[in-house]
Amino acid sequence: MAQFPLAPGSSIGILGGGQLGRMLSQAASRLGFDVVILDPQAESPAGRVSRQQITAPFDDPDALEALGRLSDVVTFEFENVPSAAVDLLAVNGAAVAPGPTALAVAQDRSAEKAFLNAVGAATVDFASIDSADDITAALPRIGLPALLKTRREGYDGKGQAWVRSADEAEAAFEAIGRAPAILEAKADFVRELSIIAARGLEGEIAVYPLGENRHADGILRTTLAPAEVRPDTAARAREIAEAILDGLAYVGVIGVELFELADGTLLVNEIAPRVHNTGHWTQDACLCDQFEQHIRAIAGWPLGSTDAVARVEMTNLLGEDVLDWPALSADPAARLHLYGKGEARPGRKMGHVNRVRGL
Amino acid sequence: MAQFPLAPGSSIGILGGGQLGRMLSQAASRLGFDVVILDPQAESPAGRVSRQQITAPFDDPDALEALGRLSDVVTFEFENVPSAAVDLLAVNGAAVAPGPTALAVAQDRSAEKAFLNAVGAATVDFASIDSADDITAALPRIGLPALLKTRREGYDGKGQAWVRSADEAEAAFEAIGRAPAILEAKADFVRELSIIAARGLEGEIAVYPLGENRHADGILRTTLAPAEVRPDTAARAREIAEAILDGLAYVGVIGVELFELADGTLLVNEIAPRVHNTGHWTQDACLCDQFEQHIRAIAGWPLGSTDAVARVEMTNLLGEDVLDWPALSADPAARLHLYGKGEARPGRKMGHVNRVRGL
């Protein structure tokens, strides 16, 4: 087993070679670590900026064992990692962070909301659903309209269906493929906020200021941070983040999406046990961004400063948005972060731009 | 030939796989470029964060041609690139920046000082030396003590000898290996400053604030920037940088080391046609650091903002200094940049730390 804190020159393994893996790898390199990526796509965005890539499916046992052998600690750019994979990663003695509990909780929307409520973080009312009849039975408590989501997988609005009347129960269940599901009450929120926070190996916690998010077609478009919020809202968000991190004995960076209601109440929409799209603003506003923070946490280093020294509007560059690079590159306040992806398919996250303003 | 400005996804070749190549590569990746490194050391610091490394000596003709073939533009992390190598890089149509004129001027200390004087940038008095007798003949004009330096190669104080009396001429010439040399008058300076500047493909120029440098044993230890200087000193330094960049029809980032005399006069000590150790402070004080600026320039992109939004003290981590990483990692104002080098040999540049303060 490696000794923590990991010395520079140690190896960090990352499951997933997309943009989050790429920015994690770049942060790790700045601290003198070597990085190994596992991804099925040869020369993935992250692989191209890392010492080594193992090109194999995420469930390939040999590849998972090899990644663990080459790494002192292994982490993830996505949450849908089967626990069997985590076990294989650890076969050769590599640490794995965040741990299996956090992954298991985040992989099941029903378990996630139950966990959140248990640690005192409010959510919308919800019910676990295994049949269309379950929907009909739950509706009197959940109310209309209600949102049906698969319990596992699905992101950016995929695997979801609205139930606007009891008649729609069967159609909605069919629409999400009759998979185990969760029925959620509609949140009557005034805006979506998110909070990025980290917990270190010794249990210390660092929390970034809140971001305010705008989505379109279920995909994040912009985050404005630090968001303008009442002091008690900021304090409550920090409490929620701390309760979640401690409740999971978490190590690393977590993203917590919040609904702000008209009366200031915060409900947790979902948690992502990884660096998060709504935390990209930290790259150009904080001395230690979410990517370095995650690397610091999993390497057992002290956490870095989460103070914002600027205000940033982060805008995702989706699909052909990235073709605007000539104009974006000419704006001195626009910090470009491009992911090295070839094909600008509609909706594909190709990069983001952080527009920096004074505080 | 590639079209400029280079689109994201284009390839940038870098001759040299050390820390400067590494930080150039990381900046290029952020803008969506792919990077190919040529370096004789397998898995060099830069190679480990780049898409590809060609491992071969710097004068290997096949390797140089291959680097040019794989790249849309090729650049350098060091200035001692023979013009024959530049020709080989360009065989397959790659652009090369900065160009051969800048390299030739910067490679010969005598040609460099003659060029500087020709564009109106003052230097110490100097004489070209090819024998011990040349030293004796030049001393009445240059004065005592005088500094003898090889015309080519040599850095961080290597290849230099002081001449403190006419009797020492022969010994000094012997000490530097009887190589073609330059004899320089001693500069009676009060401090060493440096200015980092860039010139784009269209001739536009961007200049960073001045840094104040402290050396020990001929090696840079710290840069404090922006340096506290009189407005006319800042204006004169900017004029000097512009005259040099225009005089060389330069493309990319250049480092200009300056001596500040007691009366405020600035003499140019030397120029480095590349990103420069005294410009590392820009990484944590400017929206666009010297590495991204160099990539922008050679890719034909608009230059980025050189405004400093913080004051930084940059300290080189030499040899075993890097073993202080546990303490450095615990200082929230200390931004660590480690180079991924294995062996902490005495004097070896292992990393640097930028200590960030408000302006």
Side-chain angles (χ1 to χ4, degrees), chain A residues 196-268:
Chain A
I196 308 295
R199 188 171 176 276
L201 212 51
E202 308 288 339
E204 73 278 22
I205 286 178
V207 183
Y208 290 94
L210 282 156
E212 178 178 341
N213 308 314
R214 304 254 159 88
H215 291 76
D217 302 324
I219 303 180
L220 180 71
R221 297 309 301 255
T222 66
T223 299
L224 183 68
E228 286 182 33
V229 292
R230 299 180 345 210
D232 61 323
T233 303
R236 178 62 191 140
R238 170 179 284 268
E239 278 174 9
I240 290 171
E242 288 171 350
I244 293 169
L245 289 168
D246 283 335
L248 295 170
Y250 195 86
V251 175
V253 162
I254 200 166
V256 181
E257 296 183 18
L258 300 164
F259 293 137
E260 185 185 31
L261 308 191
D263 66 358
T265 301
L266 294 178
L267 302 182
V268 177

Side-chain angles (χ1 to χ4, degrees), chain A:
Chain A
M1 292 291 278
Q3 278 228 310
F4 288 84
L6 294 180
S10 302
S11 271
I12 292 176
I14 303 175
L15 206 68
Q19 67 270 17
L20 300 181
R22 180 177 170 101
M23 292 184 279
L24 284 170
S25 176
Q26 290 166 326
S29 302
R30 274 204 313 274
L31 300 182
F33 294 112
D34 282 326
V35 179
V36 188
I37 301 293
L38 171 59
D39 196 89
Q41 178 204 333
E43 298 202 286
S44 67
R48 269 181 285 161
V49 300
S50 300
R51 182 174 188 180
Q52 189 177 348
Q53 174 172 328
I54 301 167
T55 303
F58 292 127
D59 57 0
D60 181 310
D62 293 340
L64 290 163
E65 280 198 40
L67 182 65
R69 186 172 59 246
L70 292 165
S71 308
D72 296 301
V73 61
V74 179
T75 191
F76 316 97
E77 68 155 10
F78 58 90
E79 55 269 44
N80 292 312
V81 182
S83 62
V86 175
D87 294 343
L88 286 165
L89 289 168
V91 159
N92 290 298
V96 176
T101 308
L103 292 171
V105 165
Q107 282 169 17
D108 183 307
R109 292 190 172 81
S110 195
E112 181 177 309
K113 284 202 165 49
F115 161 77
L116 289 166
N117 292 172
V119 298
T123 63
V124 293
D125 289 331
F126 67 98
S128 287
I129 300 295
D130 292 297
S131 69
D133 286 348
D134 286 350
I135 299 173
T136 316
L139 278 178
R141 179 167 61 87
I142 305 295
L144 285 169
L147 186 56
L148 186 69
K149 294 178 180 173
T150 55
R151 284 228 283 273
R152 298 182 160 270
E153 311 283 335
Y155 62 95
D156 288 346
K158 292 166 194 160
Q160 304 191 359
W162 281 99
V163 183
R164 291 186 177 75
S165 72
D167 299 344
E168 292 183 7
E170 175 60 30
F173 195 54
E174 182 67 30
I176 64 156
R178 312 189 82 79
I182 180 173
L183 189 70
E184 299 179 359
K186 182 168 188 291
D188 196 17
F189 59 88
V190 290
R191 56 177 177 168
E192 296 177 56
L193 301 170
S194 61
I195 192 155
I196 308 295
R199 188 171 176 276
L201 212 51
E202 308 288 339
E204 73 278 22
I205 286 178
V207 183
Y208 290 94
L210 282 156
E212 178 178 341
N213 308 314
R214 304 254 159 88
H215 291 76
D217 302 324
I219 303 180
L220 180 71
R221 297 309 301 255
T222 66
T223 299
L224 183 68
E228 286 182 33
V229 292
R230 299 180 345 210
D232 61 323
T233 303
R236 178 62 191 140
R238 170 179 284 268
E239 278 174 9
I240 290 171
E242 288 171 350
I244 293 169
L245 289 168
D246 283 335
L248 295 170
Y250 195 86
V251 175
V253 162
I254 200 166
V256 181
E257 296 183 18
L258 300 164
F259 293 137
E260 185 185 31
L261 308 191
D263 66 358
T265 301
L266 294 178
L267 302 182
V268 177
N269 177 31
E270 63 177 34
I271 60 176
R274 53 171 168 78
V275 289
H276 197 248
N277 196 164
T278 66
H280 291 359
W281 67 273
T282 60
Q283 293 177 303
D284 295 299
C286 301
L287 278 192
C288 177
D289 69 24
Q290 66 165 348
F291 301 99
E292 177 172 329
Q293 193 75 289
H294 186 72
I295 299 297
R296 282 176 168 262
I298 67 172
W301 286 32
L303 298 181
S305 168
T306 55
D307 293 346
V309 296
R311 181 172 296 251
V312 163
E313 185 181 57
M314 189 286 307
T315 304
N316 272 338
L317 301 175
L318 303 176
E320 297 198 339
D321 291 351
V322 75
L323 301 180
D324 287 341
W325 65 266
L328 294 169
S329 72
D331 177 352
R335 303 282 304 137
L336 262 177
H337 299 264
L338 301 181
Y339 306 153
K341 297 181 182 178
E343 200 191 337
R345 292 194 295 270
R348 190 180 196 199
K349 291 179 179 172
M350 303 297 291
H352 64 274
V353 56
N354 282 336
R355 289 188 175 82
V356 181
R357 289 143 197 184
L359 269 179

Side-chain angles (χ1 to χ4, degrees), chain B residues 197-351:
Chain B
R199 187 171 175 277
L201 211 51
E202 308 288 339
E204 73 278 23
I205 286 177
V207 183
Y208 290 94
L210 283 155
E212 178 179 340
N213 307 315
R214 304 253 159 89
H215 291 76
D217 304 323
I219 303 180
L220 180 71
R221 297 309 301 254
T222 67
T223 299
L224 182 68
E228 286 183 33
V229 292
R230 299 180 346 211
D232 62 322
T233 303
R236 178 61 191 142
R238 169 179 285 267
E239 279 174 9
I240 290 171
E242 288 171 350
I244 293 169
L245 289 169
D246 283 335
L248 295 171
Y250 195 85
V251 174
V253 162
I254 199 166
V256 181
E257 296 183 18
L258 299 164
F259 293 138
E260 185 185 31
L261 308 190
D263 66 358
T265 301
L266 294 177
L267 303 182
V268 177
N269 177 31
E270 63 176 35
I271 60 177
R274 52 172 168 78
V275 289
H276 198 249
N277 196 164
T278 66
H280 291 358
W281 68 274
T282 59
Q283 293 177 304
D284 294 299
C286 302
L287 278 192
C288 177
D289 69 23
Q290 66 165 347
F291 301 100
E292 177 172 329
Q293 193 75 287
H294 186 72
I295 298 298
R296 282 176 168 262
I298 68 172
W301 285 33
L303 299 180
S305 168
T306 54
D307 294 345
V309 296
R311 182 172 298 251
V312 164
E313 186 180 57
M314 188 288 305
T315 303
N316 272 338
L317 301 176
L318 304 176
E320 297 198 340
D321 291 352
V322 76
L323 302 181
D324 287 341
W325 65 266
L328 293 168
S329 71
D331 177 353
R335 303 283 304 135
L336 261 178
H337 300 264
L338 301 181
Y339 305 152
K341 297 182 181 176
E343 199 191 338
R345 293 193 296 271
R348 191 180 196 199
K349 291 177 179 172
M350 303 297 293

Side-chain angles (χ1 to χ4, degrees), chain B residues 102-163:
Chain B
L103 292 171
V105 165
Q107 282 169 17
D108 183 306
R109 292 189 171 81
S110 194
E112 182 177 307
K113 284 201 165 49
F115 161 77
L116 290 166
N117 292 171
V119 297
T123 63
V124 293
D125 289 330
F126 67 97
S128 288
I129 301 296
D130 292 298
S131 68
D133 285 349
D134 285 350
I135 300 175
T136 316
L139 278 178
R141 180 168 61 86
I142 305 297
L144 285 170
L147 186 56
L148 187 70
K149 294 178 179 172
T150 55
R151 284 226 284 273
R152 295 182 162 271
E153 311 283 337
Y155 63 94
D156 289 346
K158 291 165 196 161
Q160 303 191 359
W162 282 99
V163 182

